[in-house]
């Protein structure tokens, strides 16, 4: 039971924090957001996300350092979230355009149907108190098996106050759930950050990386010379051939993380582990690579350690750690998602809703097939160098834009039955950059942010999110495919440690030579 003094301090903190202004709903030409989007058809990708085998949802776990007043949250939503037409609209069938066509239809929102404050079962079968982290994990796993009501706007919020302090310092948890047809991760993160403020300055929005224009993409490619353009064309052709082969028949090697295609219908267990951004940056500087290269290198190392252990089951623990139990030449690929907007980064919601915006709201995502080299390497730094080589190769291709275009065209001209999300690769992977300093959301100080998805046709998805001085790996895993996801988190964390230690040794040796 929380003390009255703790509750009052929470109320004082919230009242002293500037709440975000209402979302702007009048565009520069005088239209309102509601008028602009009323009756608009769902995009091809939004319709694709309704297929039973890829009924995709975004789920964001936000830890608050203080208890959350549920009634207060309800009071601020009408001037924030509900100002956006996607969150107060139904997705209705458009009979005039076919059985699978859908359009947005405005609806009245009863917040009691969308904002919930469930009480967690705080006792296990042996009547011992369970940890808050495990309770929240079990609650979310069960939630991924409960569909959103199609007769209401496709989102809900679950506020969990009935917990003790979690490992990451949260005293309350908000679980935000959105159907992916509402928008992609960039769209929804832009919306949430529009409600956020710096904890150190309640009048200022959180600092995020400055957006980069990509409108001169062709000019940028042309400036690199004929040889680069030839390599770009060749790489794209080869990637397109592999893309089509994977869509039709080319599957990954059976491995401990490869699941049956029907796994999309299974509940997913969401776990997360945070590591130091300083460690990531140290490796980045020591290897002359990028943060993305280091993250993918750490992921490749962790994804090699985990199946190596699974393949070695039955041997002693020390034997498993020392021996290479992996089969040779494993085909192990991930669907790696990209934001393909011409203007990247996070933007004000009203800018994203404008027609012709370079950072248009919606599902503006493409993907590439990223090959992980599942091997046990003697020098851990080699994982980072291999990741850099793979990422450089993928950057010299327009595979992600082709994937977006082909998915869009298939749904538009052949219907959603002719299109699907990739299931032949072993896993999915995505990342997102978050605020650099501590933020508050509706006045509540945020301890951590952990977004991911469920409904994907793979047994594992890894999402990476940065916030303050931490980088968090979020795993969305099928229990049957990954029965011990915390072990995989351990492997990712240990892999970063080994890579950093190897980088420190290499630097010391380099200094001695000088």
């Amino acid at each position: 039971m929380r003390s009255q003094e703790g509750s009052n301090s929470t109320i004082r903190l919230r009242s002293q924090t500037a709440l975000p202004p209402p979302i702007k709903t009048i565009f520069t030409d005088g239209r309102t957001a509601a008028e602009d989007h009323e009756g608009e058809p769902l995009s091809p990708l939004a319709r694709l996300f309704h297929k039973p085998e890829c009924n995709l949802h975004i789920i964001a776990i936000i830890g608050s350092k203080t208890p959350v007043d549920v009634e207060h949250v309800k009071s601020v939503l009408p001037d924030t979230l509900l100002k956006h037409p996607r969150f107060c609209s139904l997705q209705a069938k458009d009979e005039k355009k076919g059985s699978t066509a859908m359009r947005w239809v405005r609806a009245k929102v009863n917040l009691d149907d969308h904002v919930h404050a469930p009480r967690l079962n705080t006792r296990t079968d042996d009547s011992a108190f369970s940890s808050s982290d495990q309770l929240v994990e079990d609650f979310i796993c069960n939630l991924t098996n409960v569909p959103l009501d199609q007769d209401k706007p496709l989102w809900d919020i679950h506020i969990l106050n009935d917990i003790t302090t979690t490992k990451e310092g949260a005293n309350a948890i908000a679980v935000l759930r959105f159907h992916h047809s509402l928008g992609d991760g960039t769209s929804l993160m832009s919306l949430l950050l529009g409600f956020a403020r710096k904890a150190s300055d309640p009048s200022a929005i959180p600092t995020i990386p400055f957006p980069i224009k990509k409108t001169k993409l062709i000019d940028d490619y042309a400036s690199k010379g004929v040889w680069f353009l030839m390599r770009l064309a060749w790489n794209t052709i080869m990637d397109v051939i592999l893309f089509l082969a994977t869509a039709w028949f080319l599957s990954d090697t059976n491995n401990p993380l490869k699941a049956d295609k029907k796994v999309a219908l299974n509940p997913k267990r969401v776990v997360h582990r945070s590591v130091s951004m300083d460690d990531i940056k140290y490796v980045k500087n020591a290897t002359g690579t990028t943060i993305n290269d280091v993250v993918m290198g750490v992921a490749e190392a962790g994804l090699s350690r985990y199946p190596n252990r699974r393949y070695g089951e039955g041997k002693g623990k020390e034997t498993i750690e020392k021996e290479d139990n992996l089969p040779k030449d494993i085909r192990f690929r991930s669907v790696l998602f990209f934001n393909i907007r011409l203007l990247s980064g996070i933007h004000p919601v009203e800018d994203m809703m404008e027609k012709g915006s370079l950072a248009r709201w919606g599902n503006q995502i493409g993907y590439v097939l990223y090959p992980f080299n599942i091997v046990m390497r003697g020098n851990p730094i080699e994982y980072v160098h291999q990741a850099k080589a793979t990422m450089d190769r993928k950057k010299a291709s327009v595979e992600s834009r082709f994937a977006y275009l082909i998915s869009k065209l298939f749904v538009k001209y052949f219907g959603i039955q002719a299109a699907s999300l990739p299931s032949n690769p072993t896993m999915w992977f995505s990342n997102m950059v978050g605020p650099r300093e501590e933020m508050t959301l509706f006045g509540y100080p945020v301890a951590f942010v952990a977004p991911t998805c469920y409904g994907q046709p793979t047994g594992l998805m890894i999402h990476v999110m940065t916030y303050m001085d931490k980088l968090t790996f979020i795993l969305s895993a099928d229990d049957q495919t990954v029965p011990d996801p915390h072990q995989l988190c351990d492997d990712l964390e240990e892999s970063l440690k080994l890579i950093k230690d190897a980088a420190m040794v290499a630097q010391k040796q380099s200094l001695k030579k000088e």
Side-chain angles (χ1 to χ4, degrees), residues 28 57 126 181 388 419 488:
T28 53
H57 297 70
D126 61 0
S181 58
K388 174 177 172 50
L488 181 50

Side-chain angles (χ1 to χ4, degrees), residues 231-232 234-240 242 369 371 386-399:
R231 188 161 65 96
L232 179 75
W234 174 256
N235 288 344
T236 301
I237 291 171
M238 298 307 295
D239 288 339
V240 167
L242 188 60
L369 297 175
Q386 177 62 50
K388 174 177 172 50
T390 304
M391 288 298 293
D392 288 349
R393 162 63 179 79
K394 289 298 178 181
K395 291 174 184 176
S397 171
V398 291
E399 178 185 0

Side-chain angles (χ1 to χ4, degrees), residues 35 71 234 249 268 284 295 379 404 508:
E35 292 171 344
E71 294 305 317
W234 174 256
F249 64 87
K268 299 296 189 295
K284 162 188 168 291
V295 169
N379 183 357
Y404 171 79
K508 288 179 181 178

Side-chain angles (χ1 to χ4, degrees), residues 252-270:
D252 280 6
T253 305
N254 285 331
N255 65 78
L257 294 174
K258 185 79 170 72
D260 184 88
K261 294 180 181 180
K262 296 180 181 179
V263 74
L265 304 176
N266 294 354
K268 299 296 189 295
R269 186 165 296 276
V270 178

Side-chain angles (χ1 to χ4, degrees), residues 239-441:
D239 288 339
V240 167
I241 292 173
L242 188 60
F243 173 91
L244 295 175
T246 300
W248 291 331
F249 64 87
L250 184 62
S251 185
D252 280 6
T253 305
N254 285 331
N255 65 78
L257 294 174
K258 185 79 170 72
D260 184 88
K261 294 180 181 180
K262 296 180 181 179
V263 74
L265 304 176
N266 294 354
K268 299 296 189 295
R269 186 165 296 276
V270 178
V271 301
H272 53 94
R273 182 71 56 85
S274 294
V275 298
S276 169
M277 272 298 294
D278 288 339
D279 289 347
I280 298 286
K281 291 177 181 177
Y282 180 88
V283 176
K284 162 188 168 291
N285 294 331
T287 56
T289 57
T290 67
I291 287 178
N292 276 342
D293 295 335
V294 177
V295 169
M296 297 308 289
V298 171
E300 185 169 291
L303 291 168
S304 296
R305 290 172 61 86
Y306 182 83
N308 185 61
R309 183 182 297 101
R310 291 277 293 272
Y311 279 118
E313 287 177 352
K315 301 179 181 180
K317 181 178 179 181
E318 292 185 2
T319 303
I320 293 176
E321 295 292 338
K322 293 179 180 179
E323 289 189 0
D324 184 349
N325 305 299
L326 295 170
K328 302 300 180 184
D329 300 323
I330 297 176
R331 183 188 299 117
F332 187 113
R333 296 169 300 168
S334 174
V335 176
L336 178 60
F337 290 93
F338 284 86
N339 172 13
I340 62 169
R341 292 171 174 83
L342 292 176
L343 190 62
S344 63
I346 306 299
H347 307 271
V349 176
E350 56 267 24
D351 291 350
M352 299 184 78
M353 297 298 291
E354 284 275 10
K355 281 189 175 180
S357 171
L358 298 180
R360 182 73 172 161
W361 177 280
N363 286 289
Q364 308 293 320
I365 48 176
Y367 63 84
V368 302
L369 297 175
Y370 184 95
F372 280 111
N373 289 275
I374 305 301
V375 294
M376 299 300 293
R377 299 185 185 276
N379 183 357
I381 291 182
E382 292 179 6
Y383 286 110
V384 178
H385 293 312
Q386 177 62 50
K388 174 177 172 50
T390 304
M391 288 298 293
D392 288 349
R393 162 63 179 79
K394 289 298 178 181
K395 291 174 184 176
S397 171
V398 291
E399 178 185 0
S400 62
R401 294 182 178 277
F402 174 84
Y404 171 79
L405 179 63
I406 198 70
S407 299
K408 186 175 179 179
L409 292 177
F410 261 69
V411 175
K412 184 174 181 180
Y413 293 109
F414 302 104
I416 61 172
Q417 299 306 319
S420 65
L421 294 174
S423 59
N424 281 331
T426 298
M427 59 173 288
W428 285 10
F429 199 104
S430 182
N431 58 37
M432 184 170 294
V433 178
R436 295 172 178 169
E437 61 278 299
E438 183 179 358
M439 67 177 181
T440 62
L441 192 59

Side-chain angles (χ1 to χ4, degrees), residues 17 24 36 38 41 67 70-71 93 166 203 206 213 245-246 292 305 378 412 415 418-419 431 443 466 493:
T17 305
K24 175 185 173 185
D36 187 57
E38 175 68 26
V70 179
E71 294 305 317
K93 288 186 178 181
T166 67
S203 64
K213 274 192 178 183
T246 300
N292 276 342
R305 290 172 61 86
K412 184 174 181 180
N431 58 37
T466 62
E493 187 174 18

